[in-house]
Amino acid sequence: ILSTLAQGLIFSIAGLGIYISFRILDFPDLSVDSTFTTGASISAISIINGMNPFISIVLSLFGGLIAGSITGILHVKFKITNILSGIIVMIGLYSVNLRIMGKSNLHLFDTIHIFSEKNHIYKLAFLIIFTLFLKVIIDFFFKTEIGYVLKAVGQNQKFITGMGFDVDRYKILGLALANGLVALSGSLYTQYQGFSDISMGIGLIVSALASIVIGEMAFKNLKRFGVQNSSIVILGSIFYRGILSLALQIGVEPSDLKLVTALLMVLILSKGIF
């Protein structure tokens, strides 16, 4: 249970990032599968080389910010469609991630990192505090002028352009923020698991969307009580990880979990909920 909660909190950070790109900007950014690995690889190689694990998180965040900015620039400056922009960055980052790590995987078993302490209560407590801290910052950000403009960009670009705002700049900013959060999640995950692998981000986009949709379905009534969308994304991520944990308990093979996620998304989308 503690492990499920911990992983739910870690992936909820990625979910918050993908919520920004998909829900707020209405931008289907497929680069996040590789951005997650970028955060993991930067964190892993930094820690192996003796860097403070908290600083490695910051570096991972910046790596994600850069990757997201590139996706945005390809779209708004080079006029490449949003889906293709994400795919191009995703493919390019695969090689970049291999360059960062030097090989396809790295382990952190002999290093000191945030989750070196084997006490599961400590790990969970840290993740709860860290995730809530990020949530507060994100909620505050979207109550600022920049945050309100970002929301409006995804809803009515012509209106924002008419108001004199540079839509392209805000798109790049939003995608940078989204991918920064995804990379940050990857950094935490590689420290929690104790390794970084080139393929660890595969399927993240589907699982994150599943978390968001499940959260919106299961906890939509909480909005009546003033609960923020960020809280619903976090709860949805934990709930989704609970579903996967239950699937493992009833005998589903770990290698089949991504198939379970895909089928779950088909079930949801076929009913027109998303």
Side-chain angles (χ1 to χ4, degrees), residues 36-38 42 59 62 65 68 83 96 100 132 152 160 187 194 198 200 230 249 254 259 262:
F36 184 84
T37 308
T38 299
I42 291 175
L59 289 179
F62 278 105
L65 291 173
I83 293 178
V96 172
I100 293 172
L132 289 178
I160 293 301
S187 176
I198 192 64
M200 67 192 309
S230 57
Q249 293 294 322
L259 177 60

Side-chain angles (χ1 to χ4, degrees), residues 152-171:
V153 165
Q155 296 175 359
N156 194 331
Q157 293 186 28
K158 291 183 179 179
F159 173 76
I160 293 301
T161 302
M163 293 290 290
F165 291 102
D166 188 342
V167 172
D168 291 349
R169 182 180 301 176
Y170 280 93
K171 278 188 176 181

Side-chain angles (χ1 to χ4, degrees), residues 103-142:
K103 52 184 179 180
S104 60
N105 56 73
L106 296 171
H107 70 81
L108 305 177
F109 302 138
D110 300 323
T111 63
I112 296 176
H113 51 82
I114 295 174
F115 301 108
S116 295
E117 172 63 50
K118 295 183 179 181
N119 188 320
H120 292 288
I121 299 296
Y122 159 78
K123 295 179 181 180
L124 184 60
F126 170 81
L127 287 171
I128 290 173
I129 294 171
F130 189 84
T131 305
L132 289 178
F133 174 71
L134 278 180
K135 170 194 153 36
V136 170
I137 292 178
I138 292 171
D139 288 344
F140 174 78
F141 173 76
F142 279 106

Side-chain angles (χ1 to χ4, degrees), residues 11 14 17-18 21-22 28-41 64 67-68 71 85-95 97 101 178-179 181-183 185-187 189 196-209 241 258 261:
F11 282 100
I18 293 171
S21 59
F22 269 80
D29 183 11
L30 303 182
S31 68
V32 293
D33 280 17
S34 288
T35 307
F36 184 84
T37 308
T38 299
S41 59
T71 302
S85 297
I87 292 174
I88 290 170
V89 173
M90 177 179 66
I91 293 172
L93 282 179
Y94 185 89
S95 296
N97 295 336
M101 292 193 292
N179 281 271
L181 289 171
V182 172
S185 176
S187 176
Y189 187 65
S196 174
D197 187 86
I198 192 64
S199 63
M200 67 192 309
I202 294 177
L204 175 70
I205 185 67
V206 177
S207 61
L209 285 175
R241 289 292 150 183
K258 293 189 185 300
T261 299

Side-chain angles (χ1 to χ4, degrees), residues 16 27 40 48 64 69 72 86 102 105 117 135 145 147 163 166 173 175 185 190 212 228 272:
L16 289 170
F27 191 106
I48 288 174
S69 298
N105 56 73
E117 172 63 50
K135 170 194 153 36
E145 179 181 328
M163 293 290 290
D166 188 342
L173 173 63
L175 289 170
S185 176
T190 199
I212 293 171
Q228 299 289 331

Side-chain angles (χ1 to χ4, degrees), residues 9 46 115 150 166 178 191 233 239 258 268:
L9 290 169
S46 299
F115 301 108
L150 268 179
D166 188 342
Q191 294 188 55
V233 172
F239 191 58
K258 293 189 185 300
I268 295 171

